[in-house]
Structures are given as structure tokens and as C-alpha cells.
Amino acid sequence: MNIASVIVDVPAKQTDRAFDYKIPAQLRGVILPGMRVVVPFGPRKIQGFVTGLKEESDFQQLKSISEPIDLNPVLNRELLTLGDWLTEKTLCYKISAFQAMLPAALKAKYEKKLVLAENAERKLLPEKVRSLFQNTEEITWEDAVKGGSLPLLQKEASNGNIEIIYQVKERVKKKKVKQLFAAAAPNKLADYIQKLPGNATKQKDVLEYFLHEEGPADQKELFSMLGITTSTIKGLMQKGLLGQREVEIYRNPFGDREFEKTEPLSLTDAQRAVIIPILNSIEDNMHETFLLYGVTGSGKTEVYLQSIQRVLQDGKEAIVLVPEISLTPQMVKRFKGRFGDQVAVMHSGLSAGEKYDEWRKIQRKEVKVVVGARSAVFAPFENLGIIIIDEEHETSYKQEENPRYHARDVAIERAVNHRCPVVLGSATPSLESFARAQKGVYHLLTLAKRMNNQALPAVDIIDMREELREGNRSMFSRALLDKIKDRLEKKEQIVLFLNKRGHSSFVMCRDCGYVINCPHCDISLTYHRYNQQMKCHYCGYEAHVPNACPECQSEHIRYFGTGTQKVEEELAKILPEAKVIRMDVDTTSRKGAHEKLLDQFQEGHASILLGTQMIAKGLDFPNITLVGVLSADTMLHLPDFRSSEKTFQLLTQVSGRAGRHELEGEVIIQTYTPEHYSIELAGDQDYDKFYEREMMVRKIHRYPPFYYISLVTVSHEELMKAVSVTEKITQYIQSKLSAESIVLGPVASPIPRINNRYRYQCLIKYKREPELGPSLKKILDNYQQDIATGGLSVSIDLNPYILM
Ligand code: ADP
Ligand code: ZN
Ligand code: ZN
């Protein structure tokens, strides 16, 4: 096999196929599918992925691969195939699909080193390799290439004796710790102890330690254990009794926290009933997609854990996806507690280096379970036994940039390849998934009751218009305020929830009604109290609040709406004695802040937790007995056919935070539209009825799950250009589709301008259109030139979740 097919790193139509390259003699056997290589391309040298090897090419005069980038494939065969699938499903370029599967550290600029594995036996290495590593544990990539030893090194790499490390400049630094070890034989140490003067107790302690303990010790730990400092060991090192070295440790995203080991609970009858079909699927090695529909607290996580346990017994691996915001320490604890070091955790809060570390643990088969957000669905396991997606209805499972994939689709595709089950879990399944379960495409499993049959909390819906009529202008209804006071007295805890999405705190002139908009986007600026700034959430534009109205010069210019900051101020006024912790993007932007605030709340440092979406999930504190939703409607009025579904889901989630333990819980939902079915039915916690109502609405308006939708968004700095391109695209699509399909457009996008670019769109609703994908791809290809030069942007989403 001396020819490699390579997908080069040039995202364009003409290069979206494999190019053949000769494998130079010294690299034969080294280059494998799934490795990245450097290849000459035109006048340049660029990166590419090897997708296959072959004996012959249809092309004459092939150029040669310049050098490999990896020693081991970074993509296995399954992931290479998955890349093709992703390309077809999301209309992205192959190179983008491959890159989406790798951690960022592998994509950035890096330095490469070859490192001798810690447990490698030098004696057993081939002569040539041994000499390369003669006086060192690591050599540079350049040295490795120069010596012509790559094939040998590659063999050792696949034996696990050598590792190739990508060092992203500045950003990724391997974390190292100092270790101490005995550098002399035990009898020498013992001799020396005898000779030490009586007052040298500390030195004695150290030597005694190494007499009794085999292996190296962490210097810091030893220092604190024995109460010694560097001066104690300095002399011992000079005498050759102790040695010191630096070793790399994985950065630990959850600190040095010890996770208490947990044992499997004995399952309830209901849990047993739902786990049996899952275990059958695992044992029979048959793919099946399950929808585990169970209210919060019904014991779903325990079912996940025991299913994974079965998978591990078979020597297979598991992927668990959880939404980014519920990837909290509490969540991680449940998996690490059960499976310990076999668990890797991947989420966006990790630095590039930390993510890379976790990925390497998977690559090196050091872990068997990964718990992570969306992109963890690409974890390079080779022997998958189950994929679990918790809170499957969460829209964060959809990636909103290229490749625009949904993790659920990827999970199912991988599970089909591995012949293993997918478990989708939720208390409020997405309409799409529940409909599939109803039709028998997914296997529906239901956990109807909470553990210990705890009642769901009582929910009160308060009509805020009524409050206003009765003269209450505050953002707290009388009922809510009374209950807050009651809980404060009883020293119980309260969660106040504010959905900040939408125009929550804009700046408006009270005299003329002028609202301050972003100068670059057609959307109002959001007021931030802490620095008196107004900010555009779309383009990042910031400005000071003006002293006078730009329109009428009135000085009565104020901010409106109820952002979390404003609620906090209000609380301070009416309940000065109450301690409040606020959680929103502003207070949690620093790394670890999220976790710290939650810990503080759990430890009882505050009685009220006030926050946005991010507090809606995962919180499970025994002392929370009241949950207040300040305004349930903010999301209802977004121009999105899923707004009712999202409102229902969110309200149900939030309500689930109350009374999960012995103390009974209560929920108050404040709203201006109490009659809306999504609010009313969230109050009743009646998913089944909501599903029925919402399905009717979707059917009438021809939305998913009855129809598929695809969205084409065009943007350009010139309005006319955006309109005319959208018109042409719409016409073209129309001509390609059957009469049954509906094309809506061209129309201005709900946000008609972002960052000085005008936005137009066309929405396609269809049931079956096998030609749609290829037609849309043609459109992209056709406008490629305009897109490449940056003037025009055409984005196509085959399953949009954001319709703005
Ligand atoms: P969910 O994931 O559906 O929200 P959990 O799995 O977190 O539910 O279960 C809710 C609570 O019940 C947790 O505190 C959990 O430890 C406990 N629990 C779950 N299964 C059992 C069981 N079989 N026996 C006893 N307690 C259980
Ligand atoms: Zn004005
Ligand atoms: Zn803007």
C-alpha cells in the first residue's frame, strides 16, 4: 500500500474529495488511515487527513506526502466513516467534519514531542530508539524525523512505549509535579539513619519513610505530611540518597476532590421494568433507541449507572451526554462515585489543555466512560456499549455552527455501527422524540413516579395583571412575597428564577418611548447595572447609558424590565435581611464560579438563589422548599415555533427543583398570560396533555414532528444583495420540490440585521424530499466564490433550532 487518499485542509467545493499522494519509502507502514499528514498542495504545504490506503491511483505523477503529523491515528475507522455521514447530513465539507471530532488542542498551532512512556522499559526498546532517548525522556519531532526512525518509533507508539504530545503554544502547558524517590539502596539509607545526629529528626523521618514505602512520593504531600521543607531534603539529595524529578500529571478539572465510592442501589420494580429492555439490547448486541420518560427524581440516573455497569462488565465503553449547564460537580460526582478513575469528563469549561488530557485518556484506553457535553458524542472509543443522552430535549445538543449536527442523530448513527443501545432520558421529552416513541420508532420506557412516591410540588399560577389591578406594581406578587417571608422565617431555602432571554432590560425614554438599539443590529441593547453599560448580545457592542434621550433630549431615560440585577436590588430593598446569591452569565463568567456559588448556597450561606436558565437544572438541595418563577412569559413571545414547548419544559424543570427530599415543596409561577396552555399545563405538570395540545398546533401549522424544516439564511452588507440572492435561492428550491412541500420566503429574518449585515431567509417545510439535500448543496457550491471572498454568507440548516 503505497498510496494514501488525503482530505486536505482547504474547505472548498473543489477540494472536498480525497487526493492521492505517494507514501515515500521510509514512511511505508507508518502512514495509516485516520492520521494527519503534511502534504504539498499547489505552492503550499498543508495539513490533511489520511482516509485510506491503496496500491494504485487513477492519476499519474502523484506528489509525495511530506511528513506525518501523528504517530497513531487520531480518528479510528468508525469515526472516518462517521465523517462521511456527517458531511452528507449537514452539508459541511469533509475536512470540517473530521475537525469537529477532535479536541481543539489538536487543531491549533502546536509543537510536537515524542515522550517515553512512564512505564516503558528502556532495555526492551530497539537499539536505535534507545539511543535516541539515551539521556532524555523526550525528543523533538524534528530529531525523530531526522534520524529516519519514524517507522520504529511508530511501532513503539502503538505498543504504548512512546507517546506523541502536542503542545499548544502558551495555551496548553502540561501540569507537572515534583516527586521524591530513594536514590540509594535501602541498606544505604538505613546506614545513614544510624549516622545522623540525634537532633536531625526530620531527615530521619524522610529516610524512614523511604525505607518503608516503595516508589516515589509527591513532594508537596510528603512535605506537609512530615512537616519538612526543601532544606531538609537538600543535603540528602546532595549525598545521593534522595532523587527528585518532575512528572506530568493530568490537570484535574474537579480539583483533587475525592469522590466517595457509591454502590449500585437495589432497583425498584419500576426501575427494573425499564432497565430490562436496555440490558437485553446490550446483551444481544442489538441497536435500539430507548426514550426513558420519567419525571425528575424518578430514578433515571440510577438506571443509567447500572446500564453502564453492565456495559463495563462486557469490557465495552459508554458515552453519557448531559447539557453543558447541568454538567455540574453534583452530576460528575454521581458517575465518578460509581466508576471512579474510569470516567473522563469533557465540557466547555475546561481549558484546551484539560480537554486534550481527557481526550487522551480515552485515546489511550485509560477510561471507559465519558461524561460530557455535545461534542463528547465523538469520543474515540472503539467498542461502544451504550450512549446515554440525559435531558434529551435540550436544544444545546444541536451545534449552531458548521457542521450543524444534532448530537442525538450522531449518537444513533454511532450506536447503529456499534450495535448498541441509545438511551434518551427526559422528564419533558422533545415533541420529536415522543412522537417517534409513540410510533414505535423508539422504545418508550416510563418511570411515572418519583422515588419514595414523593408528591410533585404544588404549583400556584399567579396572574400578574390582577396584581397590577389591585395596585401592586412590584415584581413580586403578594403571594410570592408572603411565601418568601415564611421560608426565611423557617430558615428554608428559596430559588427565584428569571428567564432573562428576550428583551429583559432595555433602555427606554419615558417621555417619548425611544428604545436604544444597537447601531449595528436591529435589536435593543441590554442594560448592565454593574458598570452602567449597555451591551448588544449579538455583536458585543458596548456603550454608556446616555444622560439624555438621543431623540427628544429628555433626561428621563431609564432602564426597563427585570434583569437579575434589578431583582437583586429590589430584594435588598424589601427584604434587607435576606442573603441572596445571584447566578447569571455576569456572576459565573469566571472559571469555577458556577460551582462556588452553588456550594455556598448548599452550605447555607444564603437563603435565596436568584438566577437565569442555568439554575433550572441539576440542583438537588434538600432545603429548597419554594421555587418562584418571576415571569413565565418572556420566552413565549419569541418568534419560534418551539416557544411553547420551551416554556413548558423550562417551567417543569424549574418546578422540579422544589421538595425533592423530606421537606415538601411549593412553586409559584407569575405570568401575564395564565390562560396559555403551556403555562397552565406546566402548572399541572401534565406532559401528556401538553403533548396532545402542542401536537395539534404543530399539525395545523405544519411544523415538526409532522414536517421537517430547513432554513436558508442569507446575509450581506447591502440589503438589496441579500434580498436578491434569497429570491434566487427561493425560486431555485421551489422548482426542485414537490407540490406537497412549502417554501416560505424570501422574508427578512426575525433579527433583520446583525453586525451591519442584512439578513434574509427562506424556510422550507417538507415531508419527503430526497432531492433537497443535493439541491441545497448546489446552492452552496454556486455561491461559493461570493462566500469565500467574505461578501456574502449563505448558511443552511437542515434541522434548525434557532429561527432568528
Ligand atoms: P432522576 O435522574 O430521574 O432525576 P435520580 O436517579 O437522581 O432521578 O433519583 C432520585 C433520587 O432517588 C436520588 O437521590 C437517588 O439516589 C435515589 N434513588 C434512585 N434509585 C434508587 C433506588 N433504587 N433506591 C433508593 N434510592 C434511589
Ligand atoms: Zn425621548
Ligand atoms: Zn449589535
Side-chain angles (χ1 to χ4, degrees):
M1 300 283 194
N2 46 24
I3 292 168
S5 309
V6 178
I7 300 280
V8 294
D9 189 0
V10 182
K13 171 193 161 197
Q14 295 79 358
T15 49
D16 195 29
R17 61 174 178 86
F19 288 82
D20 289 349
Y21 284 91
K22 247 192 313 216
I23 303 176
Q26 77 275 16
L27 290 179
R28 301 235 165 104
V30 171
I31 304 289
L32 298 172
M35 276 183 185
R36 294 169 307 159
V37 289
V38 175
V39 292
F41 194 79
R44 299 178 291 157
K45 284 196 171 180
I46 59 175
Q47 278 195 26
F49 285 84
V50 177
T51 54
L53 301 180
K54 51 190 183 181
E55 296 286 5
E56 275 170 41
S57 170
D58 300 338
F59 298 89
Q60 308 288 310
Q61 307 225 316
L62 296 182
K63 290 184 185 167
S64 290
I65 287 177
S66 309
E67 59 169 295
I69 294 175
D70 308 303
L71 279 189
N72 284 320
V74 289
L75 293 177
N76 60 38
R77 288 212 174 256
E78 185 232 339
L79 291 176
L80 283 173
T81 317
L82 191 70
D84 293 338
W85 174 86
L86 205 55
T87 304
E88 193 186 313
K89 292 290 166 191
T90 69
L91 305 182
C92 69
Y93 294 118
K94 287 218 164 68
I95 188 75
S96 319
F98 291 148
Q99 272 166 349
M101 301 184 200
L102 296 179
L106 291 187
K107 288 169 239 169
K109 288 243 166 281
Y110 49 78
E111 258 174 43
K112 266 185 306 181
K113 282 180 181 164
L114 300 184
V115 182
L116 206 56
E118 237 169 273
N119 52 2
E121 295 252 17
R122 283 171 187 266
K123 303 195 282 283
L124 302 180
L125 294 174
E127 173 66 40
K128 213 165 168 191
V129 175
R130 213 180 327 150
S131 72
L132 273 172
F133 284 94
Q134 193 150 40
N135 292 313
T136 176
E137 313 249 303
E138 56 179 50
I139 60 172
T140 64
W141 178 259
E142 288 71 32
D143 285 343
V145 175
K146 250 188 286 166
S149 316
L150 275 183
L152 274 175
L153 288 166
Q154 195 240 339
K155 197 158 155 254
E156 293 311 315
S158 56
N159 290 341
N161 288 328
I162 287 174
E163 203 198 344
I164 176 162
I165 306 268
Y166 305 88
Q167 220 153 15
V168 179
K169 283 184 187 132
E170 279 109 55
R171 285 172 63 214
V172 181
K173 282 247 165 59
K174 307 209 131 269
K175 201 169 162 191
K176 297 202 162 180
V177 292
K178 285 200 173 107
Q179 284 189 340
L180 294 174
F181 56 92
N187 59 340
K188 281 240 178 87
L189 299 187
D191 280 355
Y192 194 76
I193 292 174
Q194 297 298 322
K195 284 186 213 141
L196 276 172
N199 59 358
T201 53
K202 299 226 153 134
Q203 295 199 346
K204 269 190 195 161
D205 286 348
V206 181
L207 294 174
E208 292 270 4
Y209 174 89
F210 283 106
L211 264 184
H212 295 107
E213 296 289 331
E214 256 177 64
D218 181 272
Q219 176 169 310
K220 215 166 123 201
E221 276 173 25
L222 195 68
F223 277 16
S224 79
M225 188 168 80
L226 302 177
I228 58 175
T229 60
T230 338
S231 64
T232 320
I233 57 167
K234 217 164 157 191
L236 299 175
M237 279 171 31
Q238 278 162 359
K239 295 210 164 60
L241 296 164
L242 288 189
Q244 188 188 47
R245 68 173 182 200
E246 287 202 326
V247 294
E248 177 210 334
I249 53 161
Y250 287 125
R251 303 167 195 78
N252 184 346
F254 288 94
D256 292 324
R257 184 192 308 250
E258 288 277 320
F259 290 96
E260 209 174 303
K261 179 107 184 82
T262 65
E263 296 297 329
L265 302 169
S266 124
L267 295 182
T268 62
D269 288 345
Q271 284 173 318
R272 209 165 302 131
V274 302
I275 204 172
I276 286 171
I278 301 175
L279 297 182
N280 285 343
S281 163
I282 296 169
E283 279 153 24
D284 299 346
N285 213 355
M286 287 287 283
H287 164 69
E288 197 169 354
T289 300
F290 297 95
L291 176 61
L292 178 53
Y293 163 44
V295 294
T296 23
S298 61
K300 295 187 295 293
T301 310
E302 187 62 31
V303 170
Y304 302 154
L305 290 168
Q306 299 199 17
S307 305
I308 295 171
Q309 189 183 342
R310 185 70 195 45
V311 163
L312 298 188
Q313 276 166 14
D314 287 353
K316 295 190 176 180
E317 299 122 3
I319 295 177
V320 184
L321 300 186
V322 298
E324 191 65 57
I325 39 177
S326 50
L327 202 46
T328 56
Q330 288 183 320
M331 187 65 162
V332 170
K333 191 162 94 188
R334 297 199 61 183
F335 289 87
K336 289 224 174 191
R338 193 65 58 87
F339 304 115
D341 291 343
Q342 298 189 82
V343 181
V345 180
M346 285 195 162
H347 65 99
S348 67
L350 303 182
S351 68
E354 288 165 339
K355 274 189 208 150
Y356 172 49
D357 283 348
E358 297 297 297
W359 184 85
R360 271 166 65 213
K361 288 187 200 164
I362 302 169
Q363 184 84 346
R364 288 155 52 137
K365 305 200 186 326
E366 292 171 1
V367 293
K368 297 232 158 228
V369 181
V370 60
V371 180
R374 182 179 61 227
S375 63
V377 76
F378 296 116
F381 285 129
E382 291 182 346
N383 208 358
L384 271 175
I386 194 167
I387 303 179
I388 293 164
I389 305 188
D390 192 32
E391 312 274 8
E392 70 89 30
H393 60 276
E394 271 292 313
T395 48
S396 64
Y397 287 126
K398 170 72 193 301
Q399 169 147 304
E400 293 300 345
E401 57 189 61
N402 275 325
R404 296 170 186 270
Y405 66 89
H406 197 296
R408 187 168 51 212
D409 302 331
V410 178
I412 292 174
E413 177 68 13
R414 288 196 77 181
V416 168
N417 292 335
H418 285 274
R419 303 163 67 86
C420 73
V422 170
V423 179
L424 309 172
S426 176
T428 51
S430 63
L431 249 66
E432 284 94 330
S433 292
F434 206 74
R436 274 179 208 143
Q438 295 289 339
K439 280 172 79 177
V441 181
Y442 298 165
H443 185 150
L444 182 64
L445 304 169
T446 308
L447 285 175
K449 293 209 174 96
R450 279 183 158 188
M451 277 292 135
N452 313 332
N453 292 326
Q454 282 156 321
L456 287 165
V459 182
D460 254 337
I461 295 178
I462 306 289
D463 185 347
M464 291 305 274
R465 296 169 306 189
E466 194 60 33
E467 293 288 314
L468 207 60
R469 258 178 249 135
E470 309 249 329
N472 177 10
R473 299 179 163 273
S474 134
M475 57 180 86
F476 300 102
S477 61
R478 289 157 298 173
L480 180 57
L481 195 58
D482 284 349
K483 294 216 186 323
I484 294 178
K485 284 181 181 156
D486 172 65
R487 299 302 139 78
L488 289 176
E489 244 163 56
K490 291 186 186 145
K491 305 238 174 306
E492 293 171 1
Q493 288 182 304
I494 301 150
V495 171
L496 291 181
F497 176 80
L498 186 75
N499 182 10
K500 231 179 66 159
R501 268 208 209 143
H503 316 255
S504 53
S505 41
F506 50 97
V507 179
M508 187 170 98
C509 169
R510 298 188 82 157
D511 284 336
C512 75
Y514 179 82
V515 173
I516 299 190
N517 272 352
C518 173
H520 312 295
C521 313
D522 287 335
I523 196 120
S524 57
L525 293 172
T526 302
Y527 178 72
H528 287 253
R529 172 109 183 97
Y530 68 103
N531 54 1
Q532 295 285 315
Q533 294 273 85
M534 303 176 299
K535 209 169 176 176
C536 173
H537 284 187
Y538 287 87
C539 74
Y541 171 85
E542 275 184 280
H544 269 289
V545 176
N547 295 321
C549 168
E551 199 67 16
C552 75
Q553 272 68 48
S554 154
E555 283 171 19
H556 293 140
I557 187 145
R558 298 281 145 77
Y559 63 94
F560 277 80
T562 46
T564 38
Q565 294 172 4
K566 195 161 171 217
V567 178
E568 191 181 22
E569 287 168 23
E570 188 76 14
L571 277 171
K573 260 187 244 152
I574 52 176
L575 298 166
E577 71 281 8
K579 284 233 174 66
V580 179
I581 288 179
R582 193 182 104 217
M583 271 181 80
D584 56 26
V585 274
D586 295 328
T587 63
T588 56
S589 54
R590 281 214 346 270
K591 208 179 148 191
H594 190 266
E595 176 182 0
K596 215 157 116 199
L597 292 174
L598 282 181
D599 280 351
Q600 287 174 359
F601 187 62
Q602 179 164 31
E603 286 159 16
H605 295 306
S607 26
I608 301 179
L609 179 66
L610 163 68
T612 53
Q613 260 93 330
M614 63 176 69
I615 61 170
K617 333 218 135 67
L619 276 183
D620 185 8
F621 302 152
N623 208 25
I624 301 174
T625 58
L626 176 65
V627 170
V629 179
L630 293 175
S631 65
D633 334 64
T634 33
M635 197 142 60
L636 263 185
H637 309 302
L638 294 178
D640 181 342
F641 72 91
R642 287 191 180 88
S643 63
S644 299
E645 184 181 359
K646 284 182 186 163
T647 301
F648 178 85
Q649 284 163 350
L650 201 64
L651 292 178
T652 312
Q653 292 283 351
V654 180
S655 308
R657 296 305 116 217
R660 301 197 53 174
H661 298 263
E662 286 84 55
L663 296 171
E664 253 177 56
E666 229 180 322
V667 179
I668 294 223
I669 296 177
Q670 303 188 155
T671 171
Y672 288 91
T673 45
E675 65 283 354
H676 193 282
Y677 64 96
S678 66
I679 291 174
E680 207 182 312
L681 293 173
D684 299 341
Q685 312 241 358
D686 193 340
Y687 175 83
D688 296 342
K689 214 177 237 151
F690 173 77
Y691 172 78
E692 261 172 47
R693 276 294 300 264
E694 183 65 11
M695 283 294 270
M696 252 160 50
V697 175
R698 300 283 181 92
K699 189 168 184 181
I700 293 169
H701 296 289
R702 303 189 196 181
Y703 274 118
F706 295 97
Y707 277 72
Y708 293 107
I709 54 170
S710 288
L711 179 69
V712 181
T713 306
V714 175
S715 79
H716 197 275
E717 279 183 10
E718 287 164 40
L719 175 63
M720 284 326 292
K721 178 82 177 171
V723 176
S724 73
V725 170
T726 317
E727 252 164 22
K728 274 189 207 139
I729 290 177
T730 308
Q731 274 168 15
Y732 177 76
I733 294 171
Q734 205 112 43
S735 73
K736 294 283 168 194
L737 298 186
S738 69
E740 202 194 11
S741 300
I742 302 150
V743 182
L744 299 174
V747 292
S749 300
I751 301 173
R753 191 174 52 128
I754 291 182
N755 229 345
N756 288 326
R757 297 174 66 89
Y758 291 90
R759 308 168 76 239
Y760 259 71
Q761 67 175 41
C762 118
L763 185 73
I764 310 145
K765 299 179 178 179
Y766 58 100
K767 276 186 185 282
R768 221 189 79 84
E769 287 293 352
E771 278 312 300
L772 183 62
S775 304
L776 292 173
K777 183 99 186 161
K778 276 215 188 88
I779 291 172
L780 280 181
D781 292 345
N782 186 38
Y783 287 104
Q784 182 184 245
Q785 203 53 42
D786 290 335
I787 293 170
T789 51
L792 182 74
S793 137
V794 178
S795 87
I796 296 182
D797 197 330
L798 293 184
N799 178 17
Y801 277 77
I802 293 179
L803 296 166
M804 319 253 265

